[in-house]
Amino acid sequence: MNAPFSPSTLDKIRADLAAAPRQLFIDGKFVPAASGETFDVIDPATGQVFASAASGDRQDIDLAVKAARRALDGAWGKTIPSQRARLMLKLAELIEANGEELALLESLDNGMPIMMAKFAAVMGAAEQLRYNAGWATKITGETIDPSWPGEWHSFTLREPVGVVGSIVPWNFPFVMAVAKIAPALAAGCTIVLKPAEQTPLTAVKLGQLIAEAGFPDGCVNIVTGFGEKAGAAIVDHPGVDKVSFTGSTSTGRAILHAAAGNFKRVTLELGGKSPVVIFPDADLEKAIPAAAMGIFGNAGQVCAAGSRLFVHESIFDQVVEGVTRRASTLKVGGGLTPGTEMGPLVSQEQLDRVLGYIASGAEEGATVGIGGARLEGEGYGGYFVQPTVLTGTTAGMKVVDEEIFGPVLSTMRFGDDDIDTIAKAANASEYGLAASIWTRDMSSGLKLAKRIKAGTVRINGGGGVDPAMPLGGFKQSGWGRENGRAGVEAYTEIKAVSVAL
Ligand code: ADP
Ligand code: MG
């Protein structure tokens, strides 16, 4: 097998990052922040600063929004659908051609294992563009026969919603950024994108590739900076027509309030506390490793992570032992360390948060089956935490009710086989993002799937995102859907046109 990356490429990237701060990408050009300010970028594997980026604020957002508006009224607005598709396909190719550099940047910035960065992040991003490029030529309205007196020709148009503010989190920085711009571009919108302050690097590289692909200036603008400055300025800006946000539920709520000023359209993909339900007849050879990686994958920093495990009492000990064994063999390390299966958490803040939850679990009576502590010492200078399994956990405990966003699994048993009772336990959450069900009895599986209040339900399979599958939440997990037809249509306004004949 090929080595996952070449050390000389890594050296070049490090030297380049050390040489100068990353800049904002506004109106097709790289520029410093108007204030001249920059912020540090920290390697989560070491806790050391290894790069810096321009700290955009209100002034920069204003320039970016104006550039996006000019592109919408000008070059991008006039680009025909097939040409939009072609540019998006070109960008997908450039992403693949720069895959090694992008994966290295992603792994350095976020801490994720390089193999995950390559396949989930970089390839996933290219596929987002290819899928959505197909939509550019397939967005249609409909013809309608109204019941008004006389003869009419009536139809709907789907027009681009306008200038879109895309705000993305730090857990899958690159694929999230691309998944936000791809459907918006397909629909004919222009964009101001803000990556998370913890992970700005791949978004800046995306700006270079967008320029190289030949998109018109101002079509996509990328402003790195903090949520409370650059992010809030996007959400407040009267020139932004829609905000698409992925992140925490509390920030989502703040965005919803702030967007009310000019009634921005809002799509929110927020937190989760997703149940994994294992029936006694499940194929445990598959269910156990999937349950483990459903919470330990990307160190649990996954909005759809399966963080509440419900297992039938007849197999509870066997399943919990299996997940615990997987936790004990899981190779935790830096994203670029060969063989790493789980990287560090993204930041000190996230480490404190996860350790705080584990401590609260212990206070509330949970037992730490395995893990529960920070990993320190040689090779663990950054924000590492052990994969953790809690037992004796029940609804009402903070570790069961709240999103931890770390590799911490709560485990609950059920004795009753009644589907409604199981559904009630699984639905006992203010979130409703995803759920997994493991059973060989499709009737039980589908009955439970119908009763679960979540945007995504997977039966007998692990997680993963597909650009064709709608993604989003019930309840406090969000508003609207991304991906699929719904995801593209969310970037359009419907106009009903009627002609009296
Ligand atoms: P976390 O708290 O884990 O950092 P957030 O949901 O706050 O997660 O962050 C996700 C994204 O939202 C980041 O890009 C962040 O900068 C941005 N953000 C944070 N606060 C705000 C805000 N008030 N308005 C707009 N964007 C924000
Ligand atoms: Mg925050």
Side-chain angles (χ1 to χ4, degrees):
M1 201 174 90
N2 293 336
F5 64 91
S6 95
S8 68
T9 310
L10 177 60
D11 290 345
K12 267 212 321 257
I13 290 171
R14 284 193 183 283
D16 183 47
L17 290 169
R22 305 296 89 176
Q23 294 189 314
L24 312 178
F25 181 65
I26 297 177
D27 208 11
K29 284 164 253 347
F30 279 95
V31 292
S35 68
E37 281 180 34
T38 61
F39 63 94
D40 288 340
V41 183
I42 294 171
D43 177 349
T46 62
Q48 304 296 312
V49 175
F50 72 107
S52 63
S55 181
D57 66 15
R58 208 156 279 279
Q59 302 173 71
D60 307 292
I61 292 297
D62 189 53
L63 292 173
V65 171
K66 285 180 175 144
R69 179 65 58 187
R70 280 194 302 276
L72 184 73
D73 293 341
W76 189 244
K78 295 188 177 69
T79 304
I80 56 175
S82 61
Q83 180 60 8
R84 295 206 299 270
R86 226 172 263 135
L87 286 165
M88 291 170 71
L89 293 170
K90 174 83 184 154
L91 181 58
E93 270 170 35
L94 288 172
I95 285 172
E96 283 178 348
N98 289 268
E100 184 179 33
E101 180 181 351
L102 283 164
L104 282 166
L105 282 171
E106 189 85 327
S107 181
L108 284 169
D109 211 1
N110 161 278
M112 71 173 66
I114 182 82
M115 297 312 262
M116 179 180 251
K118 272 192 168 176
F119 295 108
V122 174
M123 296 301 138
E127 290 314 313
Q128 276 284 350
L129 280 159
R130 294 203 173 99
Y131 172 80
N132 282 291
W135 276 116
T137 52
K138 291 162 199 75
I139 295 168
T140 56
E142 51 192 351
T143 57
I144 297 164
D145 195 8
S147 296
W148 301 319
E151 196 177 339
W152 292 85
H153 177 62
S154 295
F155 57 96
T156 57
L157 294 172
R158 276 196 183 266
E159 299 180 355
V161 72
V163 174
V164 176
S166 303
I167 301 175
V168 293
W170 42 259
N171 60 336
F172 288 97
F174 189 65
V175 70
M176 293 269 181
V178 173
K180 289 259 186 269
I181 69 165
L185 290 170
C189 296
T190 58
I191 297 135
V192 177
L193 170 73
K194 194 199 85 64
E197 51 269 43
Q198 295 85 350
T199 54
L201 301 180
T202 46
V204 176
K205 180 71 193 176
L206 178 63
Q208 276 178 27
L209 301 180
I210 284 169
E212 195 180 330
F215 284 88
D217 291 347
C219 181
V220 181
N221 305 274
I222 299 167
V223 179
T224 52
F226 289 90
E228 54 276 21
K229 283 165 108 191
I234 290 175
V235 187
D236 280 348
H237 201 294
V240 174
D241 301 298
K242 173 185 169 101
V243 171
S244 179
F245 169 76
T246 300
S248 62
T249 291
S250 60
T251 299
R253 191 172 284 111
I255 285 177
L256 202 48
H257 285 289
N262 65 337
F263 283 89
K264 289 181 181 66
R265 282 74 185 118
V266 178
T267 300
L268 301 171
E269 208 264 90
L270 308 176
K273 193 76 190 181
S274 298
V276 176
V277 180
I278 306 186
F279 284 88
D281 70 338
D283 179 351
L284 297 185
E285 304 243 320
K286 294 199 174 114
I288 290 171
M293 291 323 286
I295 187 68
F296 303 141
N298 209 29
Q301 302 169 125
V302 179
C303 50
S307 47
R308 289 182 300 143
L309 180 65
F310 294 92
V311 187
H312 191 269
E313 61 186 7
S314 63
I315 52 164
F316 181 84
D317 290 343
Q318 188 188 349
V319 170
V320 170
E321 262 169 48
V323 173
T324 302
R325 206 170 317 119
R326 185 70 188 92
S328 71
T329 60
L330 198 72
K331 192 154 181 327
V332 182
L336 302 182
T337 305
T340 288
E341 294 175 290
M342 186 178 106
L345 298 172
V346 76
S347 63
Q348 181 69 50
E349 188 187 355
Q350 199 56 24
L351 177 68
D352 293 343
R353 178 186 160 89
V354 171
L355 293 175
Y357 270 113
I358 295 171
S360 90
E363 272 161 39
E364 290 186 299
T367 304
V368 177
I370 189 167
R374 181 175 187 175
L375 270 163
E376 286 174 290
E378 183 66 33
Y380 295 105
Y383 313 121
F384 293 93
V385 68
Q386 295 172 322
T388 300
V389 178
L390 303 177
T391 57
T393 38
T394 50
M397 291 181 176
K398 273 168 57 175
V399 285
V400 178
D401 293 356
E402 298 179 16
E403 182 177 50
I404 298 174
F405 226 59
V408 182
L409 182 66
S410 294
T411 56
M412 277 73 65
R413 60 184 84 213
F414 60 90
D416 204 317
D417 291 326
D418 176 54
I419 300 282
D420 287 308
T421 311
I422 299 168
K424 198 166 163 218
N427 287 333
S429 171
E430 58 193 32
Y431 295 114
L433 195 58
S436 311
I437 300 167
W438 294 85
T439 176
R440 287 190 170 95
D441 175 4
M442 252 341 93
S443 178
S444 301
L446 285 170
K447 273 186 188 164
L448 184 56
K450 286 174 73 174
R451 283 160 178 74
I452 286 208
K453 302 212 180 319
T456 291
V457 181
R458 196 74 55 96
I459 303 179
N460 295 340
V465 172
D466 187 286
M469 290 295 287
L471 180 77
F474 284 37
K475 300 192 272 184
Q476 295 187 34
S477 288
W479 268 15
R481 292 294 178 272
E482 298 190 276
N483 292 346
R485 177 195 289 269
V488 182
E489 290 185 347
Y491 289 96
T492 64
E493 288 279 7
I494 296 177
K495 183 180 285 173
V497 183
S498 292
V499 188
L501 301 178

